[in-house]
Amino acid sequence: MAADKPTILIIEDEPAIAELVSFTLKEAGWNAFVVHNASDAWDFLQRRTPQLILLDWMLPDQSGLRFLSKIRADRQFNELPVIMLTAKSMEEDKIAGLDNGADDYITKPFSPRELTARIKALLRRKTPEHAQSLMSAGIVSLDPVSCTVSMNSQKIEIGHAEFKLLKFFLAHPDRVFSRSQLLDKVWGDHVVIEERTVDVHVLRLRKALKEAEHLIKTVRSVGYMLSEK
Ligand code: CA
């Protein structure tokens, strides 16, 4: 399973819909996981953080809206992109969903094409590390399309893990991340990696960045951040 494919959690109790959605997402190149109720969804979130959640409105154990409020109240998940799936088409329900922190809303029945288009749009909007435009800090720039890093327009050699790490830092400048957050967000699928492996990759990243190594700051007893300051 590719670690850089976005992971999408589908919370849907109707098996036929869950299967169709899961199939559609996998066809579109994403990692899709299905859970059938709010409690299993919460368990899933304790183990890994998806890039996006598709949340059914009517779930057997708790309403989707209630679950949405719960994740929005949690600091770890309050920015997680959420699209509500619902059979309800009433305007007031849509407003309730958006008021509770949904980013978008799709009414059943929906076409696979509409679903993937909405997901793509939301991922672009919400996760800058999936953006296709050039990212830069100081003399360093990263091109997500050609997967290259340049310094003063000169391409540099950089390993795959260091590339991903740099891309993540560039998408979230001036924010400190702990080693375990970096593991979760950059290596997501490989939870067996030890935290000190992060230190090794940060070291290699700094080495690759040569005179721009100061961009990657160590924040004592917390973790690392990218900052031009
Ligand atoms: Ca349902």
Side-chain angles (χ1 to χ4, degrees), residues 49 51 79 126-131 135 142 144 149 158 160-188 198 202 205 216 224-226:
T49 308
Q51 271 73 43
E79 285 177 19
K126 295 282 277 199
T127 45
E129 63 264 36
H130 294 118
M135 307 160 96
L142 180 149
V149 177
I158 189 164
H160 181 64
E162 290 72 50
F163 177 85
K164 278 170 48 180
L165 190 58
L166 178 62
K167 193 175 170 188
F168 180 78
F169 278 136
L170 286 169
H172 307 279
D174 299 309
R175 267 180 66 182
V176 186
F177 294 95
S178 69
R179 289 166 181 79
S180 69
Q181 282 174 319
L182 289 170
L183 270 184
D184 185 37
K185 293 177 190 296
V186 181
W187 282 270
V198 175
V202 167
L205 175 59
I216 311 298
Y224 297 104
M225 73 189 284
L226 177 141

Side-chain angles (χ1 to χ4, degrees), residues 12-14 56 58-59 108:
E12 167 66 77
D13 60 315
E14 285 157 78
D56 182 31
M58 304 282 273
L59 293 167
K108 294 174 194 169

